[in-house]
């Protein structure tokens, strides 16, 4: 078993010889040097742990008087941190007649002087151990004590170093802030960042979103900026004019937040599916959007039913539904939605299976409910005929990066949230954004609920904010 490193009489040497000259007490040099060497053993132990350290083992000061204080500087392990902090800021491990102390300090003799904030951190993080406490500790115990101090006071050290312009410390503090805010956002779902203009609130919001792996690139982070003219129709949903033959009509269009929530809800639903199911749905999406491109380009104007009747395509709606002309040539005929088409494709995965249907009306309605079954049969058959049947997962050549079955976080950032008239923008959604009402239990009827006629719309029975949606607001 290792012996204690210090004994009480070691610290009496400081009291006995401090301030005296070597000429007065020549024998003290060897005694005090032995005490300094004990501090050196602690530093050697810290170096084996990876710390950068600096110690001058001379008990005499520049005036050739015996020091009342033996000390060593300990720098962070990380090389970039050490390089920037070297000879500027550090952790001090020192011995005096009162025992051993550990604290954070600047290199004052090189002009680095504590301001009020730094002095407060230094005093608050100061730690002392009496001779009586130390006589029970081995060298290894004290090395571990300093290591523990470093780890538990890492935030204090970075805050202290930040006051001296250490960039690595500033970056580390920002990371800590992001980590703190991330924890708050995870538990509360909503977060407001406040501060004066130009203090980096928007940047911080994006960094917090990135900590959730939500970015504009993966489409799991969207940012809007509120202003006095911003309203419910921009945010949730509203009527928008659309061109119609010989006149202008209006169509219900999802706002940016509702579309964002629909994308997040799709991820929630996918997280409960197998990868095979997601893969097959992805193949249908690929084929469907190729069809949409054909229609928009004008290269496809009609599709044949099973009986050979040509269905004249009217348009692709803002929601990417395909609508057809009525038999009299007028607009407003029943349409086909991707959601229902995907449900139908789970049962019928090939041209052959579609051709084998004896009663189209009953067979299709049994799967996707009331609809114009001949149109759904025609569109799905066209997809298989033009782009191929659904293939097995091992044969899939899907061109789209489809979400896997992992539940992901979606972060919606509202910049300058205080500039908007919140009651006009959120409306009844104030209920749904409450952290206790995420998911279907927070379902509300929107102002345009009665205009949603597509039963496959995920919000057909009312809107709610999925449990994987987080909201960050910024305000001055």
């Amino acid at each position: 078993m290792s012996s204690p490193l210090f004994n009480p009489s070691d610290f009496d040497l400081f009291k006995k010889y401090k301030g005296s000259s070597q000429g007065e007490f020549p024998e003290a040099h060897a005694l005090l040097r032995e005490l300094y060497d004990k501090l050196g053993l602690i530093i050697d132990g810290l170096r084996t742990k990876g710390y950068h350290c600096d110690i001058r083992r001379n008990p005499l000061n520049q005036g050739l008087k015996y020091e009342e204080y033996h000390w060593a500087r300990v720098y962070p392990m990380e090389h970039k941190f050490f390089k920037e902090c070297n000879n500027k800021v550090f952790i001090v491990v020192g011995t005096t007649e009162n025992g051993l102390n550990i604290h954070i300090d600047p290199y004052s003799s090189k002009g680095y002087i504590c301001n009020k904030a730094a002095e407060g951190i230094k005093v608050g993080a100061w730690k002392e151990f009496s001779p009586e406490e130390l006589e029970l500790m081995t060298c290894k115990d004290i090395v571990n004590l300093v290591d523990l101090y470093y780890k538990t006071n890492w935030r204090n050290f970075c805050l202290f170093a930040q006051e001296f312009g250490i960039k690595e410390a500033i970056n580390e503090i920002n990371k800590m802030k992001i980590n703190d805010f991330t924890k708050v956002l995870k538990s509360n779902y909503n977060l407001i960042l406040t501060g004066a203009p130009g203090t980096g609130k928007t940047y911080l919001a994006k960094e917090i979103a990135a900590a959730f792996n939500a970015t504009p690139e993966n489409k799991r982070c969207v940012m809007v900026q509120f202003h006095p003219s911003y309203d419910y129709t921009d945010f949730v949903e509203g009527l928008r004019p659309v061109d119609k033959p010989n006149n202008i009509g209006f169509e219900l269009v999802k706002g940016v937040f509702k579309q964002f929530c629909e994308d997040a809800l799709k991820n929630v639903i996918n997280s409960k599916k197998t990868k095979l199911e997601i893969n097959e749905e992805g193949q249908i999406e690929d084929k469907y959007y190729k069809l949409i491109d054909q229609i928009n380009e004008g290269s496809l104007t009609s599709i044949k039913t099973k009986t050979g009747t040509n269905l004249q395509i009217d348009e692709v709606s803002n929601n990417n539904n395909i609508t057809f002309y009525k038999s009299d040539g007028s607009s407003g005929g029943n349409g086909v939605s991707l959601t229902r088409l995907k449900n139908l494709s789970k049962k019928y995965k090939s041209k052959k299976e579609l051709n084998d249907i004896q009663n189209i009306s009953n067979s299709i309605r049994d799967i996707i409910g009331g609809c114009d079954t001949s149109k759904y049969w025609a569109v799905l058959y066209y997809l298989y005929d033009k782009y191929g049947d659904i293939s097995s997962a091992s044969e899939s050549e899907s061109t789209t990066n489809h979400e896997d079955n992992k539940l992901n976080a979606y972060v919606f950032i509202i910049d300058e949230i205080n500039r908007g008239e919140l009651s006009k923008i959120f409306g009844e959604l104030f209920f749904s954004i409450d952290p206790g009402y995420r998911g279907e239990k927070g379902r509300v009827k929107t102002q345009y609920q009665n205009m949603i006629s597509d039963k496959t719309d995920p919000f057909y029975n009312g809107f709610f904010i999925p449990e994987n949606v987080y909201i960050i607001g910024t305000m001055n």
Side-chain angles (χ1 to χ4, degrees):
M1 182 176 178
S2 299
S3 301
L5 181 62
F6 293 105
N7 59 69
S9 62
D10 289 335
F11 304 99
D12 292 336
L13 294 174
F14 286 110
K15 190 182 299 184
K16 184 176 181 179
Y17 297 116
K18 66 181 181 181
S20 301
S21 68
Q22 189 175 17
E24 292 176 87
F25 300 100
E27 75 281 2
H29 191 279
L31 294 171
L32 289 168
R33 174 57 194 260
E34 185 179 339
L35 183 55
Y36 230 139
D37 286 342
K38 289 185 178 183
L39 179 60
L41 291 174
I42 298 170
I43 296 308
D44 291 342
L46 290 168
R47 283 181 176 137
T48 63
K49 286 182 174 288
Y51 291 98
H52 299 272
C53 304
D54 182 19
I55 182 172
R56 176 179 171 270
R57 304 187 193 196
N58 189 344
L60 292 170
N61 61 25
Q62 291 178 339
L64 299 180
K65 302 285 187 180
Y66 290 118
E67 293 274 18
E68 62 179 354
Y69 183 40
H70 292 178
W71 53 268
R73 295 187 287 265
V74 181
Y75 295 97
M77 299 181 190
E78 297 81 359
H79 183 71
K80 285 184 178 180
F81 239 111
F82 163 64
K83 190 174 180 181
E84 200 174 353
C85 291
N86 189 26
N87 289 330
K88 295 179 183 176
V89 293
F90 37 77
I91 289 172
V92 173
V93 180
T95 50
T96 68
E97 62 182 87
N98 297 317
L100 180 140
N101 65 73
I102 313 170
H103 64 275
I104 307 167
D105 221 355
Y107 210 138
S108 55
S109 62
K110 290 186 181 291
Y112 296 97
I113 308 299
C114 287
N115 59 19
K116 186 175 181 180
E119 187 64 32
I121 296 167
K122 175 181 175 178
V123 172
W126 192 289
K127 191 75 174 174
E128 287 192 351
F129 300 89
S130 69
E132 292 72 27
E133 291 175 293
L134 292 169
E135 68 176 311
L136 302 174
M137 298 182 189
T138 65
C139 180
K140 184 178 180 180
D141 291 336
I142 299 174
V143 169
N144 289 336
L145 198 67
V146 178
D147 182 46
L148 179 63
Y149 176 91
Y150 172 85
K151 290 173 180 175
T152 55
N153 282 277
W154 177 238
R155 180 186 285 268
N156 283 329
F157 181 82
C158 290
L159 288 169
F160 185 87
Q162 180 179 241
E163 296 300 316
F164 295 88
I166 305 299
K167 291 180 181 178
E168 285 296 320
I170 294 169
N171 292 338
E172 190 70 14
I173 289 298
N174 286 336
K175 290 178 185 176
M176 291 178 188
K177 285 181 180 178
I178 291 167
N179 185 54
D180 292 343
F181 284 130
T182 298
K183 289 178 181 177
V184 172
L185 187 58
K186 276 184 179 178
S187 59
N188 293 283
Y189 286 99
N190 305 316
L191 176 68
I192 299 292
L193 302 176
T194 62
T199 53
K201 299 182 296 297
T202 304
Y203 173 80
L204 180 58
K206 291 177 180 178
E207 289 297 302
I208 296 169
F212 281 81
N213 196 27
T215 65
E217 289 73 25
N218 62 26
K219 299 181 180 179
R220 296 204 293 271
C221 177
V222 167
M223 185 177 81
V224 298
Q225 187 177 77
F226 280 3
H227 51 77
S229 299
Y230 203 86
D231 66 11
Y232 186 91
T233 60
D234 300 305
F235 193 65
V236 186
E237 62 188 356
L239 295 175
R240 290 285 185 269
V242 292
D243 287 332
K244 296 285 184 180
N246 303 320
N247 68 343
I248 294 178
F250 289 88
E251 184 173 88
L252 184 62
V253 177
K254 298 181 183 75
V256 61
F257 184 65
K258 188 173 185 181
Q259 182 60 61
F260 183 79
C261 288
E262 187 172 311
D263 294 340
L265 181 58
K266 179 183 175 183
N267 175 246
V268 173
I269 295 169
N270 280 349
S271 70
K272 300 172 184 177
K273 295 177 181 177
T274 65
K275 288 187 178 181
L276 178 61
E277 289 176 309
I278 296 170
N279 177 277
E280 291 182 347
E281 289 185 4
Q283 291 181 58
I284 289 296
E285 284 188 19
D286 285 345
K287 301 177 198 300
Y288 185 80
Y289 286 117
K290 287 177 182 177
L291 172 61
I292 294 296
D293 288 341
Q294 278 189 279
I295 296 171
N296 287 334
E297 291 165 1
S299 60
L300 182 68
T301 58
S302 65
I303 293 178
K304 287 187 177 182
T305 65
K306 189 176 184 182
T307 59
T309 302
N310 271 329
L311 297 173
Q312 298 299 316
I313 298 170
D314 181 3
E315 64 176 356
V316 176
S317 73
N318 287 329
N319 295 326
N320 281 321
N321 292 339
I322 302 171
T323 60
F324 297 86
Y325 287 109
K326 295 179 181 179
S327 57
D328 62 3
S330 61
S331 297
N334 292 327
V336 170
S337 73
L338 175 59
T339 303
R340 280 185 163 186
L341 207 61
K342 286 197 288 190
N343 289 336
L344 187 60
S345 70
K346 292 176 184 178
K347 173 70 174 177
Y348 303 107
K349 301 182 180 183
S350 67
K351 278 199 308 180
K352 181 180 183 307
E353 291 176 359
L354 286 172
N355 273 326
D356 289 344
I357 297 176
Q358 297 300 313
N359 188 319
I360 288 178
S361 180
N362 291 340
S363 298
I364 292 180
R365 281 195 172 91
D366 286 344
I367 299 169
I368 61 174
C371 63
D372 192 326
T373 55
S374 62
K375 291 184 174 66
Y376 275 92
W377 185 97
V379 171
L380 189 58
Y381 187 88
Y382 181 88
L383 296 184
Y384 293 155
D385 184 55
K386 179 74 174 177
Y387 305 115
D389 298 335
I390 292 178
S391 58
S392 64
S394 60
E395 298 171 345
S396 173
E397 295 180 357
S398 174
T399 59
T400 303
N401 292 321
H402 303 291
E403 288 289 350
D404 59 15
N405 55 353
K406 176 186 175 184
L407 182 63
N408 295 308
Y410 283 67
V411 181
F412 194 87
I413 300 173
I414 305 172
D415 198 28
E416 301 195 30
I417 191 171
N418 56 314
R419 291 191 63 218
E421 189 176 330
L422 299 187
S423 60
K424 182 177 74 172
I425 296 170
F426 283 93
E428 64 282 340
L429 265 60
F430 271 122
F431 172 78
S432 299
I433 64 174
D434 187 286
Y437 292 96
R438 281 293 195 276
E440 294 192 48
K441 60 184 174 182
R443 191 188 296 273
V444 293
K445 299 289 186 181
T446 65
Q447 296 174 26
Y448 295 89
Q449 194 67 45
N450 64 334
M451 294 189 67
I452 302 175
S453 57
D454 183 0
K455 292 183 179 180
T456 65
D457 189 306
F459 300 123
Y460 176 75
N461 293 314
F463 177 71
F464 60 90
I465 302 175
E467 56 268 31
N468 61 336
V469 169
Y470 300 85
I471 302 172
I472 303 175
T474 73
M475 61 182 288
N476 298 327

